[in-house]
Amino acid sequence: MDEVEKIERWVILACLLLTAILGWAAWDASTQEWEGYQESYYRLALLRANSEAQKEWVRAQPVEIKQLQPKEHRSVERCITCHLAVDNPMFRDAPEPFRAHSSLLVSHPAQRFGCVVCHGGEGRAVTTLEGHGQGNIRAKPLLRGEYMQAACYSCHGEANLSPKAVAAVVRGRQLVNRYLCLGCHQIRGVGGEEGPDLSAVGSNRSWLWLYAHLARPQAIVVGSTMPVFLLSRAEVKDITIYLMTLLDSRDRFRNTPPAAEQRTKSYQGEEPKEEAKKEKENLPENAAAEKFRYDGGLLFHGAGCTMCHSIGNRGGEVGPALTYIGRKRKTEELERLLRDPEEVLPGGKMPQLYLNDEQIKTLAAYLSTLQ
Amino acid sequence: MKPPREIVQTILQEFRGSLYRIYRSIFRGSYPATLRQQLGVVVNNLVLHVHPTRVYRRSIRPAGTLGLGLICFYLFVIEWITGVYLMFYYEPSVSAAYGRIQDLDSVVTFGRVVRNVHRWGAEAMVVFVFLHMCRVFYTGAYKPPREFNWVLGVILLLLTLALSFTGYLLPWDQLSFWAVTVGTNIASYAPVLGPKFRFLLLGGDTVGSEALLRFYTLHVIAVPTVAALLINYHIWRVIKDGGLARPPQQEPQSADGVVPTFPLVVYMELLVFVVLTVGLLVVSLLFNAPLEEEANPLQPSNPSKAPWYFLGLQELVSYSAFWGGVMVPTVLTLFLLVLPYIDRGPDGVGEWFARKRLGMIILWSLLLIGIVVTILIGVYFRGPNWNFYWPWNAWPGPD
């Protein structure tokens, strides 16, 4: 029976080990980050309590996961598991995660709207890392600072908000216009078909992704043909904020028309515009639209010429280098070429750019300066 | 009036007596102490009766089988149990599935660890079923009279892959969505039937709500039921085919070569189970099952990779859809199915790497190397646009 005893001993040892591991699993499941936050909060609340009744109330609070199920959209949000003080006025000056929410909470009751629709993030998670969308560029990171304008704008549109509250969105839209993004990309049926449709890009990409991609497209999407626009950080930020307002119908959360007596007066003193008009408002001006006051250099870089052509050692290699194009071609020749490339260079790769006369003139004038 | 000591003794006696009666009522007899009882218990106990009453001593050497078949069986049981736990929380609909997985990972008690065990157990099962097959090959254990049990084993391998693949879609994150899109695309390369099979599997032309429902049903009831039945048949055939394969000249002549199944073998099997469970739990506590952001049919991940066990095929598909998607998997499966009917010689049965089977062993090893190398290339050397990257070269991209 020696053999049997030996194996018995191993079985007992293994079972002890299993018990220990199960204990570890139980400990692991029972020690949660949010429990620590809740305990700290109740301790602080006890210190700040004014009356015995308040203290009683604090003592009676259980440590548990708290969640919101906003009435306006189907989701579960557990942000308040850690952010316990959002509706506690005594915590107005407390540091996060226990700061009370600003007065905006009154007009945006959390029971109705939840947190994520304004703040971004991952509502179901109960750890800082996952809830705030950190550590993964494709997760939904929190919207902070000016980025929150995208959220305000998505629901209220431009007309209902003060110009200051949508300044970044408007700047971003102007930049999208200036850099002729719609030359390649489409937004709700307007624009080119060269690049991906951007109609719902705010739903499909995180702002972190958009930011990184705008700064250097090829670093994010391998083999991307999107030109590097050499944008400043502020420009990248503004465009990103604008793009975050382009949501698909699932995420687009339109403010339901409020009751007549509560109707928010728009800052221009107008009635809030209709849905369709709001949509259109958010579109940048058409690429071929009037009002081009930007110089040819900006146009050159904006229209994507550098995708194929180079100046100096910068730019693409598909088309001929344009470093000295002003020596080779007359301005009129360039204008004709830009108007209809197929006519001047039949069978060539140069695409029809659909520029208007003014743009063609400006661009040709710029090109003839390259000597 | 009795003295208190006697009363205590009487109570203890009664207690022991009732425990004993309960034990007898469950196990239909007293604890088997004598050899005769020990042989009897294996026949009379429902769980133990799949064993023979005695086994050859050489059958229970750890180096003989490495316990691989047993581990596969245990993994199936563990998957079953953890799977039922996950089923309580899961909902196979496009709008809810991902949120349910997030809930499992964040707020369900033991949800994360159970999901981890289920995930890593599934990956382990694919590995161990494959290793088990390699063991059977290298010990020549598929030769007559065990040919058909090998065929059953090949079907079980395919069912294991089917179980793993159908489960892959259920979290409904980007990883699972695009892996299943790529995986079912590989299936569609077969002429005529391929696209039809893909349509049948997905309930449409793309992965969507129908596909999720079908994969779910296949994963939680259809495939497991068939697999459970076949596993029973597979184990039953092991005994009916004469136990583990052994060289003909090594038939034990005396009783010295055999040992009663109870208690030694039962304990050994128990030990394997406990050690396996411990290992799986430790891995699951240390490493989380992957979960990317919610599936988005408009944003393909780049690279989109099939589950790792199909990455060898995907690697071949990147050279030729016909060879990778049709020829190689078909020929490989047919080869496995007919192998025991072609390679019937009595040489090397029950012996690791027998010299006389050198040709077959080299053939199998080359196949093995081919499969492992293509999978490794697919997993570690392929980046965006299926371009080749050394593992130490960072992919272009944010992470």
Side-chain angles (χ1 to χ4, degrees):
Chain A
M1 288 304 274
D2 232 7
E3 230 174 352
V4 175
E5 269 169 27
K6 213 163 111 189
I7 202 92
E8 256 177 5
R9 222 166 276 168
W10 280 108
V11 171
I12 290 168
L13 192 70
C15 284
L16 287 175
L17 202 60
L18 181 63
T19 317
I21 300 294
L22 286 174
W24 177 15
W27 178 80
D28 188 70
S30 65
T31 47
Q32 302 275 345
E33 186 187 350
W34 57 266
E35 287 179 340
Y37 283 122
Q38 292 208 349
E39 279 158 16
S40 322
Y41 171 69
Y42 291 131
R43 226 173 294 136
L44 285 172
L46 216 51
L47 289 178
R48 291 184 182 222
N50 297 327
S51 65
E52 201 50 46
Q54 278 179 346
K55 283 186 183 168
E56 274 311 305
W57 181 85
V58 171
R59 283 195 200 99
Q61 292 307 304
V63 174
E64 63 182 9
I65 286 176
K66 297 176 190 297
Q67 61 185 30
L68 290 167
Q69 281 167 288
K71 286 196 196 86
E72 298 281 338
H73 43 120
R74 196 176 164 227
S75 71
V76 177
E77 297 178 5
R78 309 203 168 94
C79 315
I80 53 166
T81 299
C82 295
H83 297 279
L84 289 149
V86 277
D87 55 355
N88 188 341
M90 285 193 294
F91 280 75
R92 204 162 284 146
D93 56 340
E96 289 293 4
F98 302 134
R99 185 172 307 161
H101 202 283
S102 70
S103 57
L104 276 175
L105 195 62
V106 179
S107 50
H108 301 74
Q111 297 300 338
R112 198 172 148 208
F113 298 106
C115 314
V116 174
V117 72
C118 297
H119 293 275
E122 190 59 77
R124 283 177 184 264
V126 288
T127 61
T128 312
L129 197 72
E130 292 165 326
H132 293 189
Q134 295 161 342
N136 176 2
I137 195 161
R138 285 183 241 90
K140 297 182 204 152
L142 286 186
L143 298 169
R144 294 176 194 270
E146 284 195 296
Y147 286 93
M148 287 198 65
Q149 291 186 13
C152 303
Y153 189 102
S154 305
C155 291
H156 298 286
E158 196 174 338
N160 287 325
L161 296 164
S162 76
K164 210 180 137 201
V166 288
V169 179
V170 173
R171 282 200 306 272
R173 197 172 62 205
Q174 286 165 349
L175 286 167
V176 165
N177 199 21
R178 180 189 307 167
Y179 287 105
L180 293 177
C181 299
L182 295 196
C184 295
H185 295 282
Q186 257 191 25
I187 297 177
R188 293 184 196 131
V190 180
E193 287 172 354
E194 203 62 39
D197 191 321
L198 300 181
S199 305
V201 74
S203 293
N204 293 331
R205 301 293 190 195
S206 72
W207 65 260
L208 217 56
W209 191 97
L210 290 170
Y211 188 97
H213 180 262
L214 282 165
R216 223 158 72 79
Q218 284 72 20
I220 307 294
V221 176
V222 180
S224 169
T225 50
M226 176 152 152
V228 181
F229 284 98
L230 305 174
L231 304 164
S232 72
R233 281 179 180 223
E235 285 177 318
V236 170
K237 185 176 173 185
D238 289 341
I239 295 175
T240 303
I241 292 170
Y242 167 68
L243 293 178
M244 288 302 289
T245 67
L246 302 174
L247 303 175
D248 75 10
S249 54
R250 193 178 36 160
D251 293 341
R252 216 181 305 151
F253 181 70
R254 284 287 172 206
N255 196 3
T256 42
E261 65 274 14
Q262 297 174 322
R263 176 166 287 181
T264 40
K265 223 176 146 210
S266 78
Y267 279 80
Q268 281 82 19
E270 300 161 0
E271 290 295 304
K273 290 177 182 166
E274 281 167 33
E275 194 85 345
K277 204 145 191 197
K278 261 190 208 167
E279 294 258 317
K280 211 163 182 191
E281 220 173 62
N282 198 18
L283 289 176
E285 294 160 51
N286 197 331
E290 44 190 10
K291 284 197 286 177
F292 260 95
R293 279 163 286 127
Y294 312 107
D295 62 41
L298 207 54
L299 201 55
F300 181 82
H301 292 285
C305 306
T306 47
M307 259 163 84
C308 301
H309 299 284
S310 62
I311 295 178
N313 54 9
R314 196 172 258 175
E317 290 172 357
V318 178
L322 302 179
T323 318
Y324 306 113
I325 189 71
R327 289 188 201 168
K328 293 188 207 158
R329 303 267 186 186
K330 290 189 192 129
T331 317
E332 301 83 71
E333 279 179 321
L334 288 168
E335 279 181 18
R336 220 173 58 231
L337 179 76
L338 288 169
R339 188 163 291 118
D340 190 358
E342 190 64 29
E343 187 201 323
V344 180
L345 300 165
K349 281 185 186 166
M350 173 89 181
Q352 169 62 270
L353 293 169
Y354 300 110
L355 303 169
N356 64 24
D357 286 347
E358 196 188 335
Q359 290 170 323
I360 289 173
K361 230 173 221 166
T362 327
L363 195 50
Y366 167 72
L367 288 173
S368 53
T369 65
L370 300 173
Q371 304 248 355
Chain B
M1 186 74 192
K2 286 180 190 170
R5 199 169 161 193
E6 267 180 48
I7 296 174
V8 171
Q9 267 175 356
T10 325
I11 291 172
L12 276 178
Q13 225 164 16
E14 273 305 306
F15 184 64
R16 275 196 218 105
S18 49
L19 277 187
Y20 183 62
R21 275 193 295 280
I22 292 169
Y23 179 93
R24 279 188 67 101
S25 76
I26 295 171
F27 293 104
R28 306 196 300 125
S30 54
Y31 180 83
T34 67
L35 178 64
R36 190 187 158 78
Q37 285 168 329
Q38 285 175 350
L39 298 181
V41 76
V42 175
V43 179
N44 289 325
N45 183 293
L46 175 71
V47 177
L48 298 182
H49 92 280
V50 293
H51 299 87
T53 53
R54 301 166 204 247
V55 294
Y56 295 114
R57 205 162 254 293
R58 68 180 303 281
S59 296
I60 57 169
R61 283 175 312 143
T65 64
L66 308 173
L68 292 169
L70 194 63
I71 290 174
C72 295
F73 170 71
Y74 286 150
L75 282 169
F76 185 76
V77 175
I78 291 171
E79 290 300 289
W80 192 294
I81 294 167
T82 51
V84 168
Y85 190 78
L86 297 177
M87 270 181 82
F88 287 133
Y89 297 98
Y90 185 73
E91 187 186 329
S93 79
V94 169
S95 55
Y98 183 72
R100 294 299 184 131
I101 302 295
Q102 284 183 311
D103 286 355
L104 274 167
D105 274 1
S106 58
V107 291
V108 173
T109 310
F110 295 119
R112 194 183 283 253
V113 74
V114 171
R115 188 171 94 85
N116 290 352
V117 169
H118 195 75
R119 176 57 177 253
W120 300 134
E123 312 278 24
M125 197 167 147
V126 174
V127 173
F128 277 104
V129 168
F130 191 73
L131 289 177
H132 175 55
M133 184 168 74
C134 291
R135 193 284 292 174
V136 172
F137 182 90
Y138 283 129
T139 55
Y142 56 84
K143 299 195 170 196
R146 299 180 179 81
E147 311 102 300
F148 187 65
N149 215 15
W150 166 271
V151 173
L152 286 178
V154 173
I155 297 171
L156 280 170
L157 170 70
L158 298 178
L159 288 178
T160 306
L161 293 176
L163 272 173
S164 187
F165 186 62
T166 50
Y168 215 88
L169 182 65
L170 302 188
W172 203 250
D173 62 344
Q174 281 286 74
L175 186 71
S176 63
F177 183 90
W178 292 103
V180 168
T181 301
V182 171
T184 50
N185 273 343
I186 295 176
S188 71
Y189 291 125
V192 190
L193 285 180
K196 299 222 185 300
F197 174 69
R198 183 171 194 266
F199 189 89
L200 184 71
L201 196 61
L202 297 182
D205 287 321
T206 52
V207 181
S209 56
E210 291 300 311
L212 183 59
L213 191 55
R214 279 181 198 203
F215 272 53
Y216 175 73
T217 313
L218 286 171
H219 185 72
V220 301
I221 184 77
V223 188
T225 313
V226 177
L229 289 171
L230 282 188
I231 287 169
N232 275 298
Y233 191 24
H234 192 62
I235 294 173
W236 181 78
R237 277 300 294 254
V238 173
I239 292 139
K240 291 297 160 188
D241 289 341
L244 294 183
R246 62 197 166 278
Q249 68 276 17
Q250 280 192 19
E251 292 290 340
Q253 301 302 316
S254 66
D256 292 344
V258 294
V259 39
T261 301
F262 191 90
L264 183 65
V265 179
V266 176
Y267 278 159
M268 287 173 82
E269 290 175 348
L270 190 62
L271 182 64
V272 173
F273 179 72
V274 178
V275 170
L276 178 72
T277 311
V278 167
L280 209 49
L281 271 170
V282 169
V283 171
S284 300
L285 285 165
L286 292 177
F287 304 101
N288 282 332
L291 185 69
E292 292 187 354
E293 70 280 13
E294 189 169 11
N296 184 344
L298 296 174
Q299 299 292 341
S301 55
N302 188 6
S304 285
K305 290 189 178 185
W308 61 267
Y309 36 84
F310 290 146
L311 275 184
L313 293 181
Q314 196 182 347
E315 173 67 15
L316 294 179
V317 165
S318 73
Y319 302 110
S320 152
F322 177 72
W323 283 97
V326 185
M327 280 310 276
V328 170
T330 311
V331 169
L332 216 57
T333 313
L334 286 178
F335 167 75
L336 289 175
L337 287 173
V338 301
L339 175 68
Y341 300 101
I342 297 169
D343 182 30
R344 291 177 302 177
D347 295 331
V349 174
E351 193 185 334
W352 279 92
F353 307 110
R355 287 298 282 280
K356 287 177 182 167
R357 295 177 61 231
L358 197 61
M360 285 307 278
I361 286 172
I362 290 175
L363 176 70
W364 184 271
S365 304
L366 287 177
L367 270 178
L368 192 65
I369 292 169
I371 291 170
V372 171
V373 166
T374 48
I375 287 179
L376 285 179
I377 292 176
V379 175
Y380 293 110
F381 295 84
R382 290 298 178 182
N385 300 345
W386 211 248
N387 290 331
F388 189 91
Y389 290 91
W390 291 105
W392 53 87
N393 288 349
W395 291 356
D399 42 14

